[in-house]
Structure formats: structure tokens, C-alpha cells
Amino acid sequence: MSQHALLSLGAKAWRCLYCPKSELRLDLTLGCGQTFRWRETGEGHWTGVMAGRVWTLTQIDDTLWYHVYRRQEDPDHVNRQKRKKAGDSQELRKKFKEMAEVKVEEDDKSLCVSTSEQDTKDEEVLRDYFQLSVKLEDLYKEWGDADPHFRDTGIIFSGLRMLRQDPVECLFSFICSSNNHIARIQGMVERLCGMFGTPLCELDGTHYHDFPSIEALAERGVQAQLRALGFGYRARFLQESAHQILSSHNPKWLHTLRNDPYLEARAALLKLPGVGPKVADCVCLMSLDKSEAVPVDTHVRRIAKHDYSCAAESKQKTLTNKVYQEIGDFFRQLWGPYAGWAHSILFCADLKKFQKLKEIPTIKEENNQAKSE
DNA sequence: ACGATACCTTA
DNA sequence: AAGGTATCG
């Protein structure tokens, strides 16, 4: 059976690129709740699905290592693909070329780094997904200069950046997030992919699937199946949103929102069932290139009030549209055009799972010393 | 436009 | 209550 790749077992099937921790920290970036599908499958090794393939990533010093798995050996699936593309010899040649390259990699026992067209493409996928062209360290400096409170948190929570996720995955994942907690959302998204997504490969008994297509989610019976899978009232939102996108627009429509201004994209998303201001802003920020979008949830609302004395008149139970707007505008004015990125860092620092990072370093060292003695 | 409440589950 | 949204006074 195939296993998750481990860098320590040999770098022959791994590639790497230069990327300091100040620009990217996998634990924060993949674990802060902007995506729900990455898991730590080994010490410092993160496995997940990106651009339709399964990847394992890990960081050593200033190097980001990545391994891409080949597709699952599924005779039925392969035959289906062959029949489908029987007339397309160009496609088949390309496919065989890719397979040959994989074979070469597998057979290559040496540590020498060979580059190929595929490697170049893989690196480009990775750079795009992590938006590595955005210089994060410079942004932290700017946010810190403008906001002393941010500076304190930013020192500990460095290297947290927004992903450029697939809009389909982002939208349907965050429709699941309403009135819900992260652990349950992760389970729901996993079941969603397992039930409606194309299988990719199996590693250590874990089956990896691509995220479902909008077409798959728009099918008639989907709502009932999702109910049975414990999605609750969100089952209807998922199916109806998928249906509405196909009936009012087309499968590529979500991607086209990347070319629209923030407020237009946001307004378009708000028309979908199960999508309110918070979910719309999550999709804008995390998949549609709207770095100024600030999703205001209960955490952010509390941070705004408690740490910034913003929206003081928010004694009410419910978050009104007006207060939502006020809080977003406040942070945009404070942090600038990448306010959404900055917001996610304070949000992350507020999560229970990351509280241990806030322990005072001296105390931590004392503890370590006490342990080693 | 504002403010409250129900909504599926699970921790 | 949990990283909300739709609906109704």
C-alpha cells in the first residue's frame, strides 16, 4: 500500500524552493481555518489536495519541500479516460510522457535534482496557491508600524499568509461553516469530498478525493444525501447554491469574479442561498483576490471591541449589517488594502489550538530546561 | 433598516 | 455555544 511521503526517507521524489519562515509557516497557514482539507500526516509534514492532485509539504530552515503523488491506479477510470479521449492522440502522448517522467523519478536512486517541464509547472502551482509573489514580511512591517497591537501578535504569528484557493472549494466549504465549529466543518468537508469528489489516491489507508464539481453538487438527490451525512440545514444551501450557479450563470462563473471589483463580487455572492456577509467575505478574501475583504465573525467582533474599542455600541446579540460594515471599514482604514490578510493573523492568534504559541519564551525555555534536566 | 428567533448537529 | 443565514415583526 502507498504511504505518505517523508522527507527523511530520501529526497529523491521531492522538489524544493527557497522560502523563509518569515514568508510562510505551514502550521499557521494550513491550520488557521482558511482551508479545511490539509492534515499533518507526519512531523511537520502537511498533506492535502491542491489543483486536483495530492501533495505533501514540509519546511526545513529556509527551504520548502514538496512531493506530488501520482494518480491512483484505477483500471476502470483509466479505461474510461482512454475511451473518452480515444481520438485525441495528442492527449494520449502527453499522458504517456507524464507517466514516463514519473517512472524516471521513481527509478532514480540518486539525489541529483532533475528538472522537467512538469517540475516547472508544479512549482508554479505551488507559488500561485501560496501567493509567494506577495512579500509577507514587508506587509507585517507595515501593519506593525500602523498598529502596535498587531506588532505584538505579528512577532509570534509570523509567516501566516492567505492562500489563493479554488473558488468552488472555498465557497462550498464556507457555506458549511455557518453557526458551526472548525472540527465539525473539517469532517463535513471531508465527507463532501468522499461522497461527491473524484478519487485521487490512497495513502496509509486514507482515501484522497478532489473537491466535488458544481455539477455534482447540483444534482437532485444531493440534498437528501447531505442530510444523511449530518450537514443539517446546510444541505439545502449547498445543493441550491450549486443549482443556482448553473442555472443563472455557468460552471466557470465563480472564477470570473476574480476580475470584478470587491464589492461587485461580494454582491454577486450574496445572492446565493446560505451566503451572507461573512461567508461572502471569506470567499472574496481567500479565493477571489480581494485582499481588502474582512470577514467579521464572533471572534473578529470581539477582537474589534475588546482590543480596539471599535463598534462600542454593539451590546446587541445580533451583528447588524451596519456594525459589520463599521468593523470592516475600521480595519481597512487601520491596515490598508491587505486588511483581510492582517485580520486573519489576529483571528488565528485567537484560536484555542494556537494559544500555546503565546507562552512567554523565557517560561518555555525554563520548562524545556526543567524537562531535560 | 433594525432586532430577535429558528435552524441541523455535536462538543 | 459553535467562525451565520434566512425570515419575520
Side-chain angles (χ1 to χ4, degrees), chain A residues 166-168 172 213-215 242 244-256:
Chain A
D166 173 55
V168 176
F172 290 97
S213 66
I214 300 179
E215 289 90 332
Q244 189 169 312
I245 289 169
L246 296 184
S247 62
S248 304
H249 310 282
N250 59 73
K252 300 282 177 200
W253 174 72
L254 278 175
H255 279 89
T256 68

Side-chain angles (χ1 to χ4, degrees), chain A residues 135-154:
Chain A
K135 294 304 166 201
L136 194 62
E137 211 175 338
D138 295 348
L139 287 173
Y140 270 71
K141 175 84 167 59
E142 288 172 29
W143 298 324
D145 287 346
D147 173 9
H149 179 257
F150 178 91
R151 182 164 39 214
D152 297 338
T153 305

Side-chain angles (χ1 to χ4, degrees), chain A residues 121 245 262 281 296:
Chain A
K121 282 186 205 158
I245 289 169
Y262 166 46
D281 277 329
V296 179

